[in-house]
Each structure stands twice: as structure tokens, then as C-alpha cells.
Amino acid sequence: NNEFIGGRTIVSIKNFSRPVFIDNEFPNASGEVFSVRNDSSPILVGNVIRNSQGVGIYITDNASGQYLKNEIIGPKHIGVLISNDAVPELNSNLFSDCLLSCVSIQGPSRPTIIGNTFKKAMSWAVLTKGTSRPIILDNIITSSAYGLLFKGETSSIVKGNNISSVGGSAIYVTDSARSIVENNTLRDNNQGILVRRRSTSTLRNNTVESSIFTGITVKGKAQADVIQNFISHGLDAGIIINSSGKVGIYENAVSDNMASGIEYIKSSSVEIQRNVIKRNKGDGLYITSDYITHISGNIIMENEGCGVKSKANNLNELIFKNKLVGNVLGNGCKLNTIE
């Protein structure tokens, strides 16, 4: 129950220290509030860091610790910076009005980010880059500029997060990052999930609703397995594949989007199997690529464009054993109807 006013690094924790800080207030610090280094493992509970000019909590050099139910409000720098093999757990904290990233994870760190709330962030809620391996579970991100960014040689697990009203991408995987993205709920965002630039992702059982742009996009030599996702009510296509990497689209439900259900523009190898594609305002499946593909076992119905529309010359060789029913402009649209 102390109040620490002003100052640069207000609390320095290092050299295997294990202190406990509970219910303190740190307003208007001119530098870092907490610096946690050198294998230290503090417990921070219920502290309020407000309007700091420097990093709110800097965790580095093999430090760990538990950071529980703290509030980091209006930082002019990064809220929590994690680097250099740090292994902290951030649990049930509130981040609000961050000018830069609320949480930035760098280098070979292995944090767990669980059950936190991020709101009105002016940059990324969580930015991950380098060779870090974060686990990001059950967080709420709302009314922010961006959601989650994974960049570089990261290897991330992203599960159970609720992201809404984000001005950019809710989840963005780029520059050779690797990620498992499962059971997240993404609503009313500019874009749902974007995977690009040689990244590799498994996207499974996510709900993506009411995106302004595409629900899920795979592009730029990225590879992805897109499995059992629910993508609906977007103002653009449900799924766009524009990548020269290997892409699999399996058992997704893609419905009620304002453009096509699935657009397949380019890929060196793509499989589109056992999806339900229905009631989209454009075509059910729109293909502009001539690459060899495998499209089978899909139910494509009640779309307002074509069931399948394609510029590929070998469409009959590629598409088989699909059910095409009740599409307004026809099932094949100037192509052989394939059922």
C-alpha cells in the first residue's frame, strides 16, 4: 500500500532476488518502474503503474516471476518488455491506453500470457519477435489498434483468446514465424487472421465473425493448415489463399460473407476438402490459379454467385465429389457442372 512517485528505475530486482510487491501505486515515473534481471523471480500482485514514461516492467536475463492482477495504464513506452531467456507468467493483469505495445516479447524468451485484458491499445496488444516461444491463452483484447503480432523466428501457441473491435489484424503471423492458433474468437475486427512471408501456421477451431476485410488470409509463400474454423458475416471473402506455399483448407464452415466464400488465387499446392460453403454474396469457390490442386467433399450451396467459378483450364481434373446445390448464378458458371 505504498505510493512511489516519479523517478527513473524505481524498483531494481536482480541477482536471484525473490521479493513480493502487493497493492502499491507507481504514478508518473520518468523511466522504468520495475527492472527485473539476473534470474530474479518476484511476485507482483495488485500494483498500479500509471502514465510511466519508460517501460512499466522490464523482465530480462533469465528472470521469471508471477505478475498477477496488476494494472498498467497509459504507459508512454512499452507496458511490459520481456527479453533474453526470461520466463515470466503474466496472469489477469489489466493493460489500457498503451502508446506502444502493451507487451513486447523479444529474443529467446518463454513467457506465459494468460487471462489478461487489453483495451484501447494504440499499437499491438502483444508483439512477439525474434526466437521467443510464448504461450498466449484466454486473453481479452478490445477496442485497440491491433491484436497479436508474431514476427520472425518465433514459435507461439495462441489459444482461447477473445479479440474484438481491433482496427488492424486480430492475429498477424509473418516473417517465418511458426504458430498454433486454436479456439480463438475474433469479432468485429478489420481483419481476422493473416499469415504471410514464409510463416507456418495451424489455424484450428477459431470463430471469425464480422470482419471488415477477409476472415482468414494466407499469402506470400506462407504455409498453413486451416481446419474446422467458423468464418461468417464478413464484408469481404471468408478465406483468401494467395501464397506459393502449401495450404490445406479442411472442414471449415464459411457462410454469409459479402464476397466469395473461398478465393483461391495462387498456391503451389492447395487442398480444399470437406468444407461447408454457403449463403455467401459472391461465389462459393472462386479460383483464378492454374496450379494443381485437390478440391473434394465440399458442400457448396445457396451462394448468390456461382457455386464454383474458375479460370483454371483443368477444372474437371481438379474438382470431384462435391455437392453443389442452389447457387443463384449456377453451380459451374460457364463451366461443366460438377456434382
Side-chain angles (χ1 to χ4, degrees), residues 244-259:
S244 57
K246 185 176 180 180
V247 181
I249 311 293
Y250 308 115
E251 300 178 2
N252 301 279
V254 186
S255 67
D256 301 291
N257 297 287
M258 295 299 290

PDB file of all heavy atoms in Angstrom, residues 244-259:
ATOM      1  N   SER A 244       2.389 -19.049 -52.484  1.00  0.00           N
ATOM      2  CA  SER A 244       3.042 -20.120 -53.230  1.00  0.00           C
ATOM      3  C   SER A 244       3.464 -21.262 -52.313  1.00  0.00           C
ATOM      4  O   SER A 244       4.128 -22.197 -52.744  1.00  0.00           O
ATOM      5  CB  SER A 244       4.255 -19.570 -53.987  1.00  0.00           C
ATOM      6  OG  SER A 244       5.157 -18.961 -53.089  1.00  0.00           O
ATOM      7  N   GLY A 245       3.084 -21.187 -51.034  1.00  0.00           N
ATOM      8  CA  GLY A 245       3.362 -22.270 -50.106  1.00  0.00           C
ATOM      9  C   GLY A 245       2.248 -23.309 -50.107  1.00  0.00           C
ATOM     10  O   GLY A 245       1.212 -23.160 -50.752  1.00  0.00           O
ATOM     11  N   LYS A 246       2.435 -24.382 -49.369  1.00  0.00           N
ATOM     12  CA  LYS A 246       1.451 -25.457 -49.270  1.00  0.00           C
ATOM     13  C   LYS A 246       0.357 -25.055 -48.289  1.00  0.00           C
ATOM     14  O   LYS A 246       0.638 -24.679 -47.150  1.00  0.00           O
ATOM     15  CB  LYS A 246       2.128 -26.743 -48.807  1.00  0.00           C
ATOM     16  CG  LYS A 246       1.188 -27.936 -48.786  1.00  0.00           C
ATOM     17  CD  LYS A 246       1.930 -29.209 -48.409  1.00  0.00           C
ATOM     18  CE  LYS A 246       0.980 -30.391 -48.399  1.00  0.00           C
ATOM     19  NZ  LYS A 246       1.677 -31.658 -48.038  1.00  0.00           N
ATOM     20  N   VAL A 247      -0.891 -25.168 -48.735  1.00  0.00           N
ATOM     21  CA  VAL A 247      -2.025 -24.743 -47.922  1.00  0.00           C
ATOM     22  C   VAL A 247      -3.097 -25.824 -47.949  1.00  0.00           C
ATOM     23  O   VAL A 247      -3.442 -26.348 -49.014  1.00  0.00           O
ATOM     24  CB  VAL A 247      -2.620 -23.412 -48.438  1.00  0.00           C
ATOM     25  CG1 VAL A 247      -3.792 -22.978 -47.558  1.00  0.00           C
ATOM     26  CG2 VAL A 247      -1.549 -22.321 -48.470  1.00  0.00           C
ATOM     27  N   GLY A 248      -3.627 -26.154 -46.776  1.00  0.00           N
ATOM     28  CA  GLY A 248      -4.743 -27.092 -46.674  1.00  0.00           C
ATOM     29  C   GLY A 248      -5.939 -26.417 -46.018  1.00  0.00           C
ATOM     30  O   GLY A 248      -5.789 -25.799 -44.959  1.00  0.00           O
ATOM     31  N   ILE A 249      -7.107 -26.512 -46.649  1.00  0.00           N
ATOM     32  CA  ILE A 249      -8.342 -25.913 -46.131  1.00  0.00           C
ATOM     33  C   ILE A 249      -9.311 -27.061 -45.880  1.00  0.00           C
ATOM     34  O   ILE A 249      -9.870 -27.642 -46.826  1.00  0.00           O
ATOM     35  CB  ILE A 249      -8.942 -24.915 -47.145  1.00  0.00           C
ATOM     36  CG1 ILE A 249      -7.884 -23.934 -47.653  1.00  0.00           C
ATOM     37  CG2 ILE A 249     -10.135 -24.184 -46.535  1.00  0.00           C
ATOM     38  CD1 ILE A 249      -7.364 -22.992 -46.614  1.00  0.00           C
ATOM     39  N   TYR A 250      -9.524 -27.432 -44.626  1.00  0.00           N
ATOM     40  CA  TYR A 250     -10.273 -28.639 -44.300  1.00  0.00           C
ATOM     41  C   TYR A 250     -11.396 -28.362 -43.294  1.00  0.00           C
ATOM     42  O   TYR A 250     -11.171 -27.759 -42.238  1.00  0.00           O
ATOM     43  CB  TYR A 250      -9.342 -29.694 -43.678  1.00  0.00           C
ATOM     44  CG  TYR A 250      -8.100 -30.002 -44.468  1.00  0.00           C
ATOM     45  CD1 TYR A 250      -6.838 -29.699 -43.954  1.00  0.00           C
ATOM     46  CD2 TYR A 250      -8.172 -30.601 -45.722  1.00  0.00           C
ATOM     47  CE1 TYR A 250      -5.688 -29.986 -44.665  1.00  0.00           C
ATOM     48  CE2 TYR A 250      -7.022 -30.894 -46.446  1.00  0.00           C
ATOM     49  CZ  TYR A 250      -5.774 -30.581 -45.913  1.00  0.00           C
ATOM     50  OH  TYR A 250      -4.632 -30.863 -46.614  1.00  0.00           O
ATOM     51  N   GLU A 251     -12.592 -28.800 -43.624  1.00  0.00           N
ATOM     52  CA  GLU A 251     -13.717 -28.905 -42.681  1.00  0.00           C
ATOM     53  C   GLU A 251     -14.083 -27.576 -42.031  1.00  0.00           C
ATOM     54  O   GLU A 251     -14.490 -27.528 -40.866  1.00  0.00           O
ATOM     55  CB  GLU A 251     -13.418 -29.973 -41.627  1.00  0.00           C
ATOM     56  CG  GLU A 251     -13.204 -31.349 -42.234  1.00  0.00           C
ATOM     57  CD  GLU A 251     -12.866 -32.414 -41.210  1.00  0.00           C
ATOM     58  OE1 GLU A 251     -12.823 -32.101 -40.007  1.00  0.00           O
ATOM     59  OE2 GLU A 251     -12.629 -33.562 -41.624  1.00  0.00           O
ATOM     60  N   ASN A 252     -13.953 -26.494 -42.780  1.00  0.00           N
ATOM     61  CA  ASN A 252     -14.366 -25.186 -42.284  1.00  0.00           C
ATOM     62  C   ASN A 252     -15.817 -24.906 -42.660  1.00  0.00           C
ATOM     63  O   ASN A 252     -16.341 -25.440 -43.642  1.00  0.00           O
ATOM     64  CB  ASN A 252     -13.465 -24.100 -42.877  1.00  0.00           C
ATOM     65  CG  ASN A 252     -12.014 -24.303 -42.526  1.00  0.00           C
ATOM     66  OD1 ASN A 252     -11.579 -23.949 -41.436  1.00  0.00           O
ATOM     67  ND2 ASN A 252     -11.233 -24.886 -43.443  1.00  0.00           N
ATOM     68  N   ALA A 253     -16.463 -24.058 -41.888  1.00  0.00           N
ATOM     69  CA  ALA A 253     -17.792 -23.551 -42.217  1.00  0.00           C
ATOM     70  C   ALA A 253     -17.634 -22.085 -42.600  1.00  0.00           C
ATOM     71  O   ALA A 253     -17.247 -21.258 -41.766  1.00  0.00           O
ATOM     72  CB  ALA A 253     -18.734 -23.703 -41.027  1.00  0.00           C
ATOM     73  N   VAL A 254     -17.917 -21.769 -43.871  1.00  0.00           N
ATOM     74  CA  VAL A 254     -17.708 -20.420 -44.404  1.00  0.00           C
ATOM     75  C   VAL A 254     -19.052 -19.930 -44.934  1.00  0.00           C
ATOM     76  O   VAL A 254     -19.536 -20.425 -45.955  1.00  0.00           O
ATOM     77  CB  VAL A 254     -16.643 -20.423 -45.523  1.00  0.00           C
ATOM     78  CG1 VAL A 254     -16.341 -18.999 -45.962  1.00  0.00           C
ATOM     79  CG2 VAL A 254     -15.362 -21.112 -45.042  1.00  0.00           C
ATOM     80  N   SER A 255     -19.665 -18.966 -44.268  1.00  0.00           N
ATOM     81  CA  SER A 255     -21.038 -18.606 -44.637  1.00  0.00           C
ATOM     82  C   SER A 255     -21.310 -17.116 -44.442  1.00  0.00           C
ATOM     83  O   SER A 255     -20.665 -16.440 -43.636  1.00  0.00           O
ATOM     84  CB  SER A 255     -22.037 -19.400 -43.787  1.00  0.00           C
ATOM     85  OG  SER A 255     -21.962 -19.016 -42.426  1.00  0.00           O
ATOM     86  N   ASP A 256     -22.263 -16.632 -45.244  1.00  0.00           N
ATOM     87  CA  ASP A 256     -22.858 -15.308 -45.045  1.00  0.00           C
ATOM     88  C   ASP A 256     -21.852 -14.173 -45.144  1.00  0.00           C
ATOM     89  O   ASP A 256     -22.009 -13.131 -44.505  1.00  0.00           O
ATOM     90  CB  ASP A 256     -23.592 -15.251 -43.688  1.00  0.00           C
ATOM     91  CG  ASP A 256     -24.686 -16.295 -43.589  1.00  0.00           C
ATOM     92  OD1 ASP A 256     -25.696 -16.164 -44.299  1.00  0.00           O
ATOM     93  OD2 ASP A 256     -24.517 -17.261 -42.817  1.00  0.00           O
ATOM     94  N   ASN A 257     -20.801 -14.365 -45.939  1.00  0.00           N
ATOM     95  CA  ASN A 257     -19.850 -13.282 -46.196  1.00  0.00           C
ATOM     96  C   ASN A 257     -20.291 -12.481 -47.413  1.00  0.00           C
ATOM     97  O   ASN A 257     -20.970 -12.989 -48.308  1.00  0.00           O
ATOM     98  CB  ASN A 257     -18.446 -13.856 -46.401  1.00  0.00           C
ATOM     99  CG  ASN A 257     -17.945 -14.553 -45.155  1.00  0.00           C
ATOM    100  OD1 ASN A 257     -17.604 -13.916 -44.168  1.00  0.00           O
ATOM    101  ND2 ASN A 257     -17.912 -15.888 -45.185  1.00  0.00           N
ATOM    102  N   MET A 258     -19.874 -11.219 -47.509  1.00  0.00           N
ATOM    103  CA  MET A 258     -20.354 -10.322 -48.555  1.00  0.00           C
ATOM    104  C   MET A 258     -19.651 -10.536 -49.891  1.00  0.00           C
ATOM    105  O   MET A 258     -20.104 -10.029 -50.918  1.00  0.00           O
ATOM    106  CB  MET A 258     -20.189  -8.873 -48.110  1.00  0.00           C
ATOM    107  CG  MET A 258     -21.045  -8.487 -46.920  1.00  0.00           C
ATOM    108  SD  MET A 258     -22.818  -8.659 -47.242  1.00  0.00           S
ATOM    109  CE  MET A 258     -23.065  -7.314 -48.393  1.00  0.00           C
ATOM    110  N   ALA A 259     -18.545 -11.266 -49.934  1.00  0.00           N
ATOM    111  CA  ALA A 259     -17.879 -11.624 -51.186  1.00  0.00           C
ATOM    112  C   ALA A 259     -17.884 -13.155 -51.307  1.00  0.00           C
ATOM    113  O   ALA A 259     -18.808 -13.809 -50.833  1.00  0.00           O
ATOM    114  CB  ALA A 259     -16.476 -11.043 -51.217  1.00  0.00           C
TER     115      ALA A 259
END
